[in-house]
Amino acid sequence: MQTKSRISLDPSQQLAVDRALLDSTNVVAGAGTGKTSVLVARYMKLVEVDGVPFDRLLALTFTLKAAAEMRDRIRAEVARRMPDKARFLFGAWIQNFHQFGFRFIKENAPALGVDPGVDVVSPAEFERMERWMRARFEAGRIPGIAPDFGGDPPTPIELPTLFNTLMQIVHKCRGNMIDPVRMRELCTAEDFPAYVARVDAVVALAVEWEAELRRRNLLDFSDMIAIPARALLGDAALAARYRDAFDHILVDEFQDTSRAQNEMLKALSGGDFSRVTVVGDIKQAIYRWRDARTENVIDFPAEKRPLEINYRSRQNILNLAQALVESTEGLQGFATELKADRGEGAHPVLLFHPPHEETSYELEARAVADWVQYLLGRADAPRAWQLPRMEESLKAKDIAIVMRNFRTSRSRNAIEDEFRRRGIPFALIGGAASAESLALEAWHELLSLLLPGPRVVNLLAVLEARPFAISEASLHQLLHKARDASTAELLSEERVQRVSDERDAMVVRSLREAVALLADAHERLGFREFLAWAIERTPLRYEMTQAGVTTTAVDDLVRELLELGDTLSRHGAVSLASYLDHLDATLDEGRFREEGDVRLPDDRIAMMTVHQAKGLEFPAVAVIGVAPPRTTSDEHFTVSTEKGIFFSEKTAARWMRDRKKAPEYEPEKKQEELEERCILYVALTRARDHLWVSTPFADGISGSRRSLFTDLMDMARTKALAIELRSVGEERLHSAQSSAHTVADAEAEDALRTWVDHRTGAEQRELSSDVAPRALEPVTWASLARYETCPLMFSFDRSAVARVATEESDVAAVVPRDFPVTKLPEGVDPAGFGAFVHAVLEQRNEQGAALEASLAAVAQRYDFGRHKEALIDTARERIVAAIAVGLAGPSDKAQSELPFQVRTQRLLVHGVIDRLDDDGKDALITDYKMGSPDPEHHFQVAAYAWAAQKTLKRDARARLVYLGLEPVDVETVETNHERFDAIVAAMEHSLDSGTFEAKPGAVCATCAHRTVCEFAAPITSSQ
Ligand code: SF4
């Protein structure tokens, strides 16, 4: 029976969807063929036509993002087609493999011998555990490892590399359900002692890793697949229970599944894969390094159902990708010719390589930048390229620069430089998700120290991580026998004195000071204000920026953190404990996140690896730096289930154990070569309309080694699939200028004019570029004030020793210690009241009903208890007083709580302006204060005026409005942009040169760093 689907399907998709409930189906879904639509339609067919309840269908995907997309689309279909059933969707099993594994383990914890409270190791914890084990390995403290490594001991320099290799083998074994002890059993008397010692080391590290996970009651990614797979294979009753629980199983991205995942699936389906629909494409199999097996697709026992229409790319792009597949041994059986639904492209595919016999990363970078400027409508393409005019320019977010590998790509470095030079905005996507979660995790642990109860685990996490990172020995001394100790006990002077390393002891004391300041702020500020304070005054922003997370992404995350606090407060009083609980749930989600779950910038060109780009599409894609494949590196190894472990030739040739001797070597090498071609196929098929492929090598050949670029070029030449380019814009323009005397006057003039226009444009863009060459230092007005007071004090604040809040004056600046007009009732938090008044002012209401409505609405977000009415009266009275004298109230020209950012070469100066009245000619900044006047307020608002001048490109007036005075007082703020320019310039110089001058004086008396500062002025009685 054919499904009457509301999802419009083409004939090949419909055939795949309409398979019977009991059928197994292998859907071959090439790039852009609408596989998610097919999965959703198949899911709906099983529900609607076959009558399968939601909770008896299991849908497994590879990434969280794919699972979320599938869930959303199914929810939308169900809401439209069977709204009365929508409420049953909550029991649906639509997850990624690791979420399913975790759910399985939790459901069967006692039977599996697992603690029911077990959790998933986070990326931060994973890193900490490896660091912990590395330190013990290097100190020779892992039991079972021979100190002389079988007579071939590594040098101290080789130890870290050896540890990495051995741990990779441990994870490889865990991921493939291979017991390392089996490797030891395979050792014979003929094996060299050095080899046997290394196998012993693998066994010892595997035992230690497992023990460390259990000690912390955690599971890693391998556990989440291997534990369910073993249980299902070894326990027939358990397997039968799960087999009977599901009527059909759907699997996305099947080519990316590992042996263990395949075993799990087989057991769930009753051992024969019946009632299973898999969707995959071995042309896109690019996760072999993470144990994915294309054999799972090839051996799947069902007829192949290829999807034939591509809904993403233009035909000329598909033709080049198709030519690549057809020339690849091992892929021909999967080379279904794709037809482009969107027809032929108006823009040719471009292949760029430098002129003959030249290797030039710079030329490639300039060519890519020329192409990008052409797409963005910033400049014409070089004439020699003869490209059609862009009818509609693209936006930066429409373009992706994709490469094989981030770290080793010299092409990427050159392109980054060229983009900066030309002011082309871009963002590196690599590692951002993980840097975000590491920084967030560290922040979560730091705030957890403010909670009562045993805190040793949180303190361990804080002190192990940046910026503190004290040694293992110091941690041991500090935390010995501290299982049930609170934060105060753990950081007590008595304990700190046990730490023999002086630097580490100083770090712990700095942390103690920081925790005290956080606790103080937490006690005195309202929760929202405390949250904002804790975000800006702890290392969160700094660590993320340093790790290369884009400022847009950091801002997004900060907004999410604040919104989480707002959401919780809308549902009742929010406490730090409940906030951290909810944050923990967010972090948990990150623990199931795969590499494909990336966050993209919305205003920049994304630079990413092919693996990160998988599953994404862009109007324009540049595949850069195509180079000959790497040769076997030192880290490489092969684990043979029949013959044991083989290492790289360089390491192990002398023990007769180099990789080439492994029976798996030749097939693995073939698979590696095949995967390189799949990676290029995935890269090419990300593009919708514009595709660029380039290499820094002439003809794509480095020395005598060919790259896949050479193959593409050969195909393009024979079949006219692309245009081959070798020149770049500036090269052409420069040569036109230098040879101007040899060409006709008109031509020379034309060339010179083009050159001048081009340079002027480039220089203007360079001036207005918002791309900083290095990591930006996020600073507030308070940091500027601190730097001006004493650069060394600022440096101490941001140093590894105390990169957390250590400055009382910031708290003083936001907390009104007194409220001059009305004494607030006992127990009312002045900062909370101040925030309440600000929130009402933000509404810019008139007097009367509108003001009353604002007061009532905003008051709901605050827990003023029995003082509520009195405080509303006070707020009303102060706001009405301000409106009466024209210092508050409605205006079309006013913006409230306006966040700003000024990016300089090295700084990101940010803050929030209470109110800006701007009619396009005259701008006026207003900052409302509840407390008494203070000279520091003038510095703060003058900094805002400076920031406004930078953003609006004209001067703004500035004033302070003291609402707590009777009558309401207003002070004009003198602006002084030169002063702030000078501070910023000096700060940038300090950051670049690493020199922070000390300015000892009266200020030292209140400096939090005087105990560690050798320049601190002595405290005199007059101070
Ligand atoms: S003690 Fe004085 S000189 Fe040292 S950092 Fe503090 S303010 Fe600067």
Side-chain angles (χ1 to χ4, degrees), residues 386 629 653 718 924 976:
Q386 296 184 344
T718 19
L924 173 65
N976 185 344

Side-chain angles (χ1 to χ4, degrees), residues 790 792-793 796 998-1001 1003-1004 1007 1009-1010 1013 1015-1017:
C790 174
L792 187 58
M793 178 163 44
F796 275 133
K999 280 196 194 166
V1003 67
C1004 298
C1007 177
H1009 308 297
R1010 58 168 300 108
C1013 176
F1015 303 101

Side-chain angles (χ1 to χ4, degrees), residues 421-440:
R421 202 176 67 71
R422 300 200 195 184
I424 298 173
F426 69 93
L428 299 177
I429 307 300
S434 129
E436 250 178 60
S437 65
L438 288 181
L440 204 52

Side-chain angles (χ1 to χ4, degrees), residues 494-512:
E494 186 202 331
R495 271 193 178 270
V496 178
Q497 282 181 6
R498 295 181 195 172
V499 178
S500 52
D501 182 307
E502 277 182 30
R503 182 204 159 269
D504 284 353
M506 192 170 82
V507 168
V508 179
R509 289 192 185 98
S510 301
L511 175 63
R512 183 172 63 201

Side-chain angles (χ1 to χ4, degrees), residues 608-630:
M608 59 175 77
T609 64
V610 180
H611 288 87
Q612 288 165 333
K614 187 154 181 275
L616 302 175
E617 59 180 51
F618 298 86
V621 170
V623 184
I624 61 154
V626 182
R630 288 186 314 152

Side-chain angles (χ1 to χ4, degrees), residues 407-537:
R407 270 177 241 139
T408 55
S409 176
R410 282 180 65 188
S411 290
R412 178 202 126 195
N413 294 340
I415 289 172
E416 273 187 52
D417 287 346
E418 188 65 21
F419 277 15
R420 285 194 189 104
R421 202 176 67 71
R422 300 200 195 184
I424 298 173
F426 69 93
L428 299 177
I429 307 300
S434 129
E436 250 178 60
S437 65
L438 288 181
L440 204 52
E441 185 106 8
W443 190 70
H444 177 275
E445 299 294 348
L446 181 63
L447 294 196
S448 299
L449 293 178
L450 304 186
L451 300 177
R455 289 291 145 212
V456 67
V457 175
N458 309 104
L459 184 62
L460 179 71
V462 170
L463 286 173
E464 274 183 335
R466 279 163 45 91
F468 302 99
I470 67 171
S471 72
E472 183 204 344
S474 300
L475 279 173
H476 189 73
Q477 289 162 347
L478 182 75
L479 304 180
H480 185 57
K481 293 200 175 160
R483 202 183 149 91
D484 299 318
S486 66
T487 303
E489 288 163 331
L490 291 166
L491 293 175
S492 65
E493 188 54 30
E494 186 202 331
R495 271 193 178 270
V496 178
Q497 282 181 6
R498 295 181 195 172
V499 178
S500 52
D501 182 307
E502 277 182 30
R503 182 204 159 269
D504 284 353
M506 192 170 82
V507 168
V508 179
R509 289 192 185 98
S510 301
L511 175 63
R512 183 172 63 201
E513 275 181 39
V515 171
L517 282 169
L518 276 168
D520 180 54
H522 178 232
E523 202 180 304
R524 290 193 287 130
L525 298 176
F527 189 75
R528 178 67 151 73
E529 289 64 40
F530 164 72
L531 208 52
W533 191 88
I535 288 168
E536 299 304 339
R537 303 293 301 128

Side-chain angles (χ1 to χ4, degrees), residues 708-757:
L708 287 178
F709 183 92
T710 320
D711 289 4
L712 283 187
M713 203 174 60
D714 289 349
M715 292 169 215
R717 281 174 181 168
T718 19
K719 298 185 183 175
L721 296 174
I723 293 184
E724 198 177 324
L725 308 174
R726 291 180 190 168
S727 60
V728 294
E730 287 193 347
E731 187 87 338
R732 179 178 63 83
L733 291 165
H734 287 314
S735 61
Q737 186 200 31
S738 59
S739 60
H741 63 282
T742 63
V743 295
D745 283 354
E747 275 183 67
E749 197 182 325
D750 184 34
L752 277 167
R753 188 176 300 118
T754 314
W755 184 79
V756 168
D757 288 348

